Amino acid sequence: MSISLRKFIEKGAEIMNRNIYVLLVVRIVANFADSFYFLASIWFVKENTDSTFWIGLAGFVAMIPVAFQFLYGPLIDRYSKKVLLLISMGVQAAILMLLATLYVIGHLTVAGVITLLFIATLASELSYPTEHALVPILVKQKDLQKVNSLFAFTYHSLDVVCNALAGIVLTFIGVGLVYTSNAFLYLLLCAGVGLALRIDEVVWESNKENRQSSYYQELKEGFRYFWNLGYLRRFIFVFTLLNLLITISLGLLPILAPTEFLYGSWLTAISIGTLIGSGVSMRLGEHRLRLIFIGATSVGGMTWLISSIWLTTNLKLVLFFFAISWIAIGMMGIQFQTLLQRQIEASYLGRTLTVIYAVQGVLAPFGYLLGGTLADFVSHLFLYVIGAITLLLASLYFFVDSFLKHVSVPDRE
């Protein structure tokens, strides 16, 4: 084991506790399962329609539930986060078992896959903000940056393995068995959370006052708090636009890949880049965010653009430079998440984070839909380089943005 990796793990161990370990394991396994059943669903749609529109629609349906996350905000602040995690995993287990059953008896249709994928993803989106709202409660403020980076680094490292194997596994065991195995995985996660996560008393005690107000009042408070974020709100809208434009290119990936294995290779490149970006972000907590964002988007945009040179001639070089571009995106994701957790008051964290994630993700599904739909009418190369151009233009924006000139991520208790 290298010295740097050993130090990374030792530093992570210093800030971990029982509940954080449980959350980390849950997220690792859930990411594994999500990757498999998402790939299985996309490939089922591709094999049964061979239509770029339906592939884009499937990506759209898998992404659109993030736009409804704001509905979960008051629930996260009001009720036991442990119970909400159990509900999320239980619903996904039931949906996957239904998909497996329909596949085995020969009644699974494209419309059925897309509908059930939407419901499963809707349940999945409850778990992310719930976990994000739990982390600041379970660790010190000064450790948020390190915990976020450690979480992302750890589960993305397994994501690399998952995406690399997903295409091969799907080829040999088939869609039905992928659905069935993932259903059992989620049942195991339910059991693990129910037995090992011990946070009920902390959560319920800290939310007694919140439970007295109405759901709709809290929903409005979340939107109001978000709107009063000022410069940070504008920054969030910029990220929303970045998500839209980058996902246009991502919506093209299932079309560029002629086999399950090659599609898994594209996903692996994204995971490797995000993994490295998460690890690098661990060491950048005290640097000014402006320099991080400018450097990340500049390098990411250039390497993405370079990768397009070999788009149709050398897949290995394409994936190499494409992965480098995702290092930048991984770094920005960790920095942005930590910034939000530090800037938002703890009592509003669930409501406000879900509003922010909904705002961020509301346009991204349309990017996937556009990527698939336009592929029949627009050059694949042009759609692919939209992601590169987006990152390069973002670097110019971050260079002149007044908000980033004065923001850093300090270590404080």
Side-chain angles (χ1 to χ4, degrees):
M1 182 184 294
S2 68
I3 295 177
S4 59
L5 181 58
R6 186 184 300 115
K7 288 182 177 179
F8 182 86
I9 295 173
E10 290 173 353
K11 178 61 69 174
E14 294 174 5
I15 57 179
M16 299 286 274
N17 57 56
R18 177 193 175 93
N19 287 320
I20 290 294
Y21 272 120
V22 173
L23 286 180
L24 181 59
V25 172
V26 166
R27 181 43 47 202
I28 289 172
V29 178
N31 267 35
F32 226 91
D34 289 349
S35 296
F36 272 84
Y37 82 70
F38 172 77
L39 178 59
S41 300
I42 293 293
W43 214 256
F44 180 87
V45 172
K46 179 172 182 175
E47 287 190 333
N48 284 272
T49 65
D50 197 28
S51 164
T52 58
F53 169 77
W54 281 101
I55 294 171
L57 181 62
F60 171 84
V61 166
M63 293 291 296
I64 195 62
V66 73
F68 300 101
Q69 273 195 0
F70 71 91
L71 297 173
Y72 299 140
L75 301 178
I76 294 171
D77 286 334
R78 176 184 290 213
Y79 298 110
S80 166
K81 295 173 178 60
K82 176 178 178 178
V83 172
L84 294 177
L85 288 176
L86 289 172
I87 292 173
S88 170
M89 295 166 191
V91 170
Q92 289 180 85
I95 293 298
L96 287 165
M97 191 59 72
L98 179 57
L99 282 166
T101 302
L102 291 173
Y103 181 86
V104 170
I105 64 177
H107 285 78
L108 187 60
T109 64
V110 170
V113 166
I114 290 177
T115 301
L116 293 174
L117 179 62
F118 172 78
I119 298 173
T121 311
L122 198 63
S124 175
E125 291 301 332
L126 173 59
S127 65
Y128 289 96
T130 301
E131 292 167 6
H132 291 163
L134 268 175
V135 170
I137 296 173
L138 301 175
V139 302
K140 298 177 181 178
Q141 282 285 313
K142 67 182 182 65
D143 292 328
L144 271 178
Q145 175 76 24
K146 297 182 180 68
V147 170
N148 287 333
S149 296
L150 186 64
F151 264 51
F153 184 92
T154 305
Y155 67 65
H156 281 308
S157 64
L158 288 185
D159 229 13
V160 172
V161 179
C162 173
N163 288 328
L165 295 177
I168 299 174
V169 170
L170 186 59
T171 300
F172 285 100
I173 73 173
V175 170
L177 194 53
V178 167
Y179 286 146
T180 304
S181 59
N182 281 325
F184 283 109
L185 272 179
Y186 274 109
L187 289 175
L188 289 175
L189 285 179
C190 282
V193 169
L195 295 174
L197 195 62
R198 300 174 182 175
I199 57 173
D200 297 72
E201 292 183 5
V202 174
V203 174
W204 282 100
E205 287 296 322
S206 65
N207 285 281
K208 280 182 178 179
E209 189 173 317
N210 283 343
R211 296 201 305 276
Q212 304 305 316
S213 56
S214 71
Y215 171 86
Y216 295 106
Q217 180 63 31
E218 293 182 6
L219 196 61
K220 289 190 291 185
E221 287 176 0
F223 276 96
R224 188 180 301 116
Y225 191 96
F226 163 72
W227 194 255
N228 290 331
L229 288 175
Y231 285 111
L232 182 57
R233 183 191 68 225
R234 186 185 68 189
F235 196 65
I236 293 166
F237 283 135
V238 170
F239 265 76
T240 301
L241 181 60
L242 290 179
N243 282 344
L244 168 65
L245 296 175
I246 288 176
T247 51
I248 290 176
S249 297
L250 297 185
L252 184 70
L253 298 186
I255 299 167
L256 291 177
T259 67
E260 302 98 316
F261 174 76
L262 292 179
Y263 182 46
S265 298
W266 280 101
L267 298 180
T268 300
I270 293 175
S271 296
I272 290 175
T274 309
L275 163 67
I276 297 173
S278 302
V280 171
S281 186
M282 185 91 165
R283 299 177 175 272
L284 298 177
E286 298 183 6
H287 290 70
R288 286 201 173 275
L289 292 180
R290 178 170 176 262
L291 297 178
I292 295 173
F293 281 110
I294 292 173
T297 48
S298 298
V299 173
M302 286 301 300
T303 51
W304 191 319
L305 191 61
I306 291 171
S307 73
S308 68
I309 297 173
W310 300 282
L311 187 61
T312 58
T313 58
N314 192 324
L315 183 61
K316 290 182 179 178
L317 283 176
V318 173
L319 293 178
F320 174 76
F321 285 101
F322 185 65
I324 294 176
S325 68
W326 278 89
I327 295 176
I329 297 173
M331 290 170 57
M332 288 193 297
I334 295 297
Q335 298 293 332
F336 183 69
Q337 178 181 318
T338 304
L339 177 64
L340 294 177
Q341 290 172 324
R342 290 183 182 275
Q343 295 290 322
I344 299 170
E345 295 177 26
S347 59
Y348 287 90
L349 200 57
R351 283 163 285 180
T352 309
L353 280 181
T354 51
V355 171
I356 291 171
Y357 295 151
V359 170
Q360 273 193 286
V362 69
L363 294 180
F366 292 96
Y368 275 93
L369 185 60
L370 283 172
T373 304
L374 295 176
D376 284 335
F377 311 100
V378 180
S379 164
H380 288 182
L381 178 61
F382 174 76
L383 292 175
Y384 180 77
V385 299
I386 286 177
I389 296 171
T390 298
L391 290 174
L392 293 174
L393 291 177
S395 69
L396 295 177
Y397 172 80
F398 294 142
F399 181 77
V400 301
D401 184 71
S402 59
F403 174 69
L404 283 176
K405 289 181 180 178
H406 307 289
V407 175
S408 60
V409 184
D411 282 342
R412 70 176 191 271
E413 295 288 347

